[in-house]
Amino acid sequence: MSTSPSPSSHASADQHLGGSFSGATRDDIRNIAIVAHVDHGKTTLVDAMLHQTGAFGSHSNVAERAMDSMDQEQERGITILAKNTAVNYGGLVINVVDTPGHADFSGEVERGLAMVDGVALLVDAAEGPLPQTRFVLRKALERRMPIVLVVNKVDRHDARPSEVVDEVLDLLIDLGADDSMLDIPTIYAVGRDGKAGPAPDQLADDLTPLFEMLIKEVPAPSYDPDAPLQALVTNLDASPYLGRIALLRIVNGEIKKGQQVAWMREADEASDESGHVTIERAKIVELLITQAMTRVPGESARAGDIIAISGIEDITIGDTIGDLEDPRPLPRLMVDEPAIGMEFRINDSPLAGLSGSKVTARMLKERIDKELIGNVSIRLNDLGVPDRWEIQGRGEMQLAVFIESMRREGYELTVGKPRVLTTTDENGKTLEPIELAVVDMPEEFVGAVTQLMGTRKGKMVDMASFGAGWTRVSYHVPARGLIGFRTTFLSATQGTGQLHSTFHSWEPWLGELRLRQSGSLVADRPGPATQYAITNLEDRGTMFVEPTDDVYEGRIIGEHIRPEDLDVNIVREKHLTNHRSATSDVLKTMNRARKMSLDEALEFIREDECVEVTPDAIRLRKSILKAGERHTAKAKSKQQDNAASK
């Protein structure tokens, strides 16, 4: 093992992936990332590209949104992990990186941009640019990448393509683009039908105009022919046969199967060499090249190629593969800091261990460490307690996807309420993140939503009408004000509204927010819930449990109609007597229990509550189960707050 100075000491290492070199180019290849806001048709367009280039074969039976292979991607209808594919068009290989469209997975977008030389920005012809569009454009501008604007879904009845193009140009100006970046080529498409053209009313029967524009506008990969091997690890995968697989973008040089290479990674933080790069000898056991949706073995690859390798078990994202004789580390992949933190701990409820096979603190920690290796946009904050940790990420959905993955793998755990991460300015004043929230809704709901935003200290910054009675309103609102807001928002807009947000700025702490107006109904003893008890408690609120469900002291069994919590007996049975009541045969109806998804449960809970997650159940509970201990802790906290205010 040896070490070298940090990457900044090498001139060639300062060059960004996708940047221009003064040397040669690979004219037989293009590397392109397709980026868009969620549900703007990005993955559907990639499907059409694969079909029209013969990637699947004439007899292949391929499901819709083939790139969304993860089960949660299919269920949620969104892209979560960035994936790459390769299509052959006119003798060229076009490597296409399909990136997520939801702001919570923007770390995947940043990884995708590190692999390519240009961006195809997909924008809905009716909805126009939304918060994720802003984020992606900002990242592309920082890398000075060429952008091709693809206005998709121009066949919608409410399409407004010319206005959308103007809005994208306004957004570019707002982001500080110079004159050279404002003249972006534009093409129009209907991704679902696999059509594209130079104008909304001049669509070809296939995507040929799109392919031609991408080849023309996105530069060929450039490299220094005199430089040694340099390749950056941008993603990880795993195989039961090959072990850990690293996805690489080769910046310079050539790599071969079986080659001995220099593996450059950050030195261990605990060592004296922290801040330097550790260089180790490694062997490329297998080299894989992407063809359509599969990886096939290859013998060699060179600058500009996107490949996968195996044989280095501990390799991780941001590492560099280089030449043994002249190792030159590339700048590590940097992503934006997390915005949300959530406490993870073992499941310590009375029902723990009934359905999950992985319940110990050691197992949970191993799974978290595994996620940290492959997901550069989350962080681990050690709380100094052996059975609990704080996981920090970009948003609630990103952490909910991680928790759901653990649940499906057989883990049991308890997670707390998401909290925003704050910072301080030079004067020591606390700053909190402010989000730009964009709301699309029928105009009759504008007043109700603005009132809801006002209670969360949101400020309206823009309002515009577009298409058939719909209004788009933009707000600046504290990020913590949006935690648990989505369910209330959907109720206020009768399920019709759409809410998207992204980070805007840091501002001084805006004070306390009252985010949930209702309290919780809490079970005061263990046992099976009874129909008799549930029926008698229904006038107190909405029930979360059904008859025969096991409950325990401290479990939240419903939502109270009043702001305070209420301890109730949900296991009470009807006493039997020898007397017959005149009304005993009257049929009593019971309302259906409200079943929450994991996302809804995380939105619902308060600071003193948490969610018990097991493979077969999602339960809400108090962090402190015993009623007496809860009241004592609450009184103590109140005394401390009073002392601090004095």
Side-chain angles (χ1 to χ4, degrees), residues 32-50 64-68 73 77-83 85 96-103 105 108-109 112-113 119-125 132-133 136 150-153 189-192 194 207 210 214:
I32 301 165
I34 297 187
V35 294
H37 193 87
V38 65
D39 203 31
H40 279 198
K42 169 178 40 63
T43 304
T44 304
L45 181 65
V46 175
D47 279 359
M49 296 174 71
L50 289 166
E64 291 185 4
R65 297 189 298 114
M67 293 291 286
D68 288 346
E73 292 179 319
I78 62 174
T79 300
I80 294 174
L81 301 176
K83 308 171 200 64
T85 184
V96 180
V97 180
D98 182 17
T99 60
H102 196 284
F105 308 104
E108 295 288 325
V109 176
L113 294 181
V119 169
L121 176 66
L122 207 69
V123 180
D124 190 293
Q132 180 70 352
T133 317
V136 170
V150 183
V151 181
N152 194 30
K153 302 185 182 181
V190 180
R192 181 190 58 196
L207 295 175
L210 174 61
L214 292 176

Side-chain angles (χ1 to χ4, degrees), residues 342 396 415-418 456 482-488 514-522 540-544 554-565 594-611 618-622:
M342 189 183 297
E396 295 170 80
V415 295
K417 181 179 177 62
R456 288 160 170 77
L482 295 178
I483 296 176
F485 177 67
R486 194 170 299 275
T487 302
T488 304
R514 180 73 172 179
L515 301 180
R516 196 180 104 199
Q517 303 302 317
S518 59
S520 299
L521 297 175
V522 186
R540 299 296 185 97
T542 303
M543 294 293 119
F544 298 158
R555 179 175 175 182
I556 298 171
I557 55 88
E559 180 179 8
H560 197 196
I561 58 175
R562 296 184 177 180
E564 66 274 4
D565 294 338
R594 178 184 172 189
K595 295 296 183 181
M596 287 191 181
S597 66
L598 176 61
D599 300 66
E600 292 170 335
L602 293 174
E603 288 185 2
F604 179 82
I605 58 175
R606 285 178 169 170
E607 284 76 7
D608 65 337
E609 298 168 350
C610 52
V611 181
I618 295 172
R619 307 182 185 98
L620 281 69
R621 49 163 284 189
K622 288 292 184 179

Side-chain angles (χ1 to χ4, degrees), residues 481-509:
L482 295 178
I483 296 176
F485 177 67
R486 194 170 299 275
T487 302
T488 304
F489 165 74
L490 289 175
S491 298
T493 60
Q494 298 179 12
T496 60
Q498 297 182 34
L499 171 67
H500 307 285
S501 65
T502 188
F503 173 78
H504 177 261
S505 62
W506 292 97
E507 292 188 12
W509 185 263

Side-chain angles (χ1 to χ4, degrees), residues 5-164:
S6 60
S8 59
S9 63
H10 294 281
S12 62
D14 290 329
Q15 298 159 333
H16 292 282
L17 293 179
S20 59
F21 295 87
S22 58
T25 59
R26 285 278 308 274
D27 294 325
D28 61 335
I29 194 172
R30 296 291 188 277
N31 296 319
I32 301 165
I34 297 187
V35 294
H37 193 87
V38 65
D39 203 31
H40 279 198
K42 169 178 40 63
T43 304
T44 304
L45 181 65
V46 175
D47 279 359
M49 296 174 71
L50 289 166
H51 280 286
Q52 292 188 17
T53 55
F56 294 134
S58 58
H59 300 290
S60 298
N61 183 17
V62 182
E64 291 185 4
R65 297 189 298 114
M67 293 291 286
D68 288 346
S69 55
M70 182 179 171
D71 52 359
Q72 289 195 65
E73 292 179 319
Q74 293 285 346
E75 294 166 12
R76 294 173 180 264
I78 62 174
T79 300
I80 294 174
L81 301 176
K83 308 171 200 64
N84 70 299
T85 184
V87 298
N88 289 281
Y89 179 83
L92 275 77
V93 175
I94 302 178
N95 289 312
V96 180
V97 180
D98 182 17
T99 60
H102 196 284
D104 282 14
F105 308 104
S106 50
E108 295 288 325
V109 176
E110 293 170 84
R111 276 196 263 175
L113 294 181
M115 300 163 63
V116 299
D117 305 293
V119 169
L121 176 66
L122 207 69
V123 180
D124 190 293
E127 296 183 2
L130 286 170
Q132 180 70 352
T133 317
R134 171 181 289 269
F135 172 84
V136 170
L137 273 177
R138 177 167 59 86
K139 291 297 179 182
L141 291 173
E142 288 175 359
R143 293 176 176 268
R144 298 198 63 80
M145 283 186 167
I147 299 169
V148 174
L149 175 60
V150 183
V151 181
N152 194 30
K153 302 185 182 181
V154 294
D155 60 334
R156 287 182 55 162
H157 71 280
D158 54 350
R160 47 189 191 95
S162 58
E163 292 92 332
V164 166

Side-chain angles (χ1 to χ4, degrees), residues 49-340:
M49 296 174 71
L50 289 166
H51 280 286
Q52 292 188 17
T53 55
F56 294 134
S58 58
H59 300 290
S60 298
N61 183 17
V62 182
E64 291 185 4
R65 297 189 298 114
M67 293 291 286
D68 288 346
S69 55
M70 182 179 171
D71 52 359
Q72 289 195 65
E73 292 179 319
Q74 293 285 346
E75 294 166 12
R76 294 173 180 264
I78 62 174
T79 300
I80 294 174
L81 301 176
K83 308 171 200 64
N84 70 299
T85 184
V87 298
N88 289 281
Y89 179 83
L92 275 77
V93 175
I94 302 178
N95 289 312
V96 180
V97 180
D98 182 17
T99 60
H102 196 284
D104 282 14
F105 308 104
S106 50
E108 295 288 325
V109 176
E110 293 170 84
R111 276 196 263 175
L113 294 181
M115 300 163 63
V116 299
D117 305 293
V119 169
L121 176 66
L122 207 69
V123 180
D124 190 293
E127 296 183 2
L130 286 170
Q132 180 70 352
T133 317
R134 171 181 289 269
F135 172 84
V136 170
L137 273 177
R138 177 167 59 86
K139 291 297 179 182
L141 291 173
E142 288 175 359
R143 293 176 176 268
R144 298 198 63 80
M145 283 186 167
I147 299 169
V148 174
L149 175 60
V150 183
V151 181
N152 194 30
K153 302 185 182 181
V154 294
D155 60 334
R156 287 182 55 162
H157 71 280
D158 54 350
R160 47 189 191 95
S162 58
E163 292 92 332
V164 166
V165 173
D166 291 339
E167 290 173 5
V168 173
L169 293 177
D170 291 341
L171 181 56
L172 284 168
I173 295 172
D174 187 39
L175 292 173
D178 55 35
D179 293 341
S180 63
M181 298 292 292
L182 293 178
D183 186 21
I184 62 174
T186 303
I187 197 163
Y188 303 85
V190 180
R192 181 190 58 196
D193 298 337
K195 298 180 179 180
D201 56 353
Q202 299 178 24
L203 300 183
D205 293 332
D206 55 22
L207 295 175
T208 297
L210 174 61
F211 283 121
E212 296 293 341
M213 179 170 285
L214 292 176
I215 293 171
K216 175 184 176 184
E217 300 295 340
V218 175
S222 55
Y223 62 97
D224 183 353
D226 299 322
L229 171 64
Q230 287 179 298
L232 182 69
V233 180
T234 59
N235 212 341
L236 297 176
D237 201 351
S239 165
Y241 307 105
L242 300 175
R244 182 175 297 185
I245 296 174
L247 191 67
L248 310 175
R249 162 70 191 267
I250 304 177
V251 180
N252 288 310
E254 184 178 7
I255 191 169
K256 297 180 180 179
K257 178 180 177 180
Q259 179 179 346
Q260 297 287 334
V261 296
W263 168 32
M264 290 163 272
R265 57 174 175 166
E266 280 189 325
D268 190 343
E269 292 181 2
S271 71
D272 296 334
E273 298 153 357
S274 179
H276 288 63
V277 174
T278 298
I279 302 176
E280 298 183 26
R281 178 188 294 268
K283 181 181 179 181
I284 307 300
V285 174
E286 190 66 73
L287 188 150
L288 303 171
I289 299 172
T290 302
Q291 290 184 1
M293 299 289 295
T294 60
R295 296 190 181 114
V296 297
E299 294 299 321
S300 65
R302 54 198 180 101
D305 286 330
I306 297 174
I307 63 166
I309 62 169
S310 68
I312 308 176
E313 190 56 36
D314 295 326
I315 196 169
T316 189
I317 293 170
D319 291 354
T320 299
I321 297 298
D323 187 274
L324 268 177
E325 303 300 324
D326 187 8
R328 301 183 187 180
L330 291 162
R332 291 193 70 84
L333 187 62
M334 303 299 294
V335 298
D336 289 343
E337 292 298 311
I340 295 288

Side-chain angles (χ1 to χ4, degrees), residues 524 553 567 624-632:
D524 64 356
E553 182 180 3
D567 293 319
I624 302 175
L625 296 178
K626 299 292 184 182
E629 295 176 5
R630 282 202 308 274
H631 297 153
T632 301

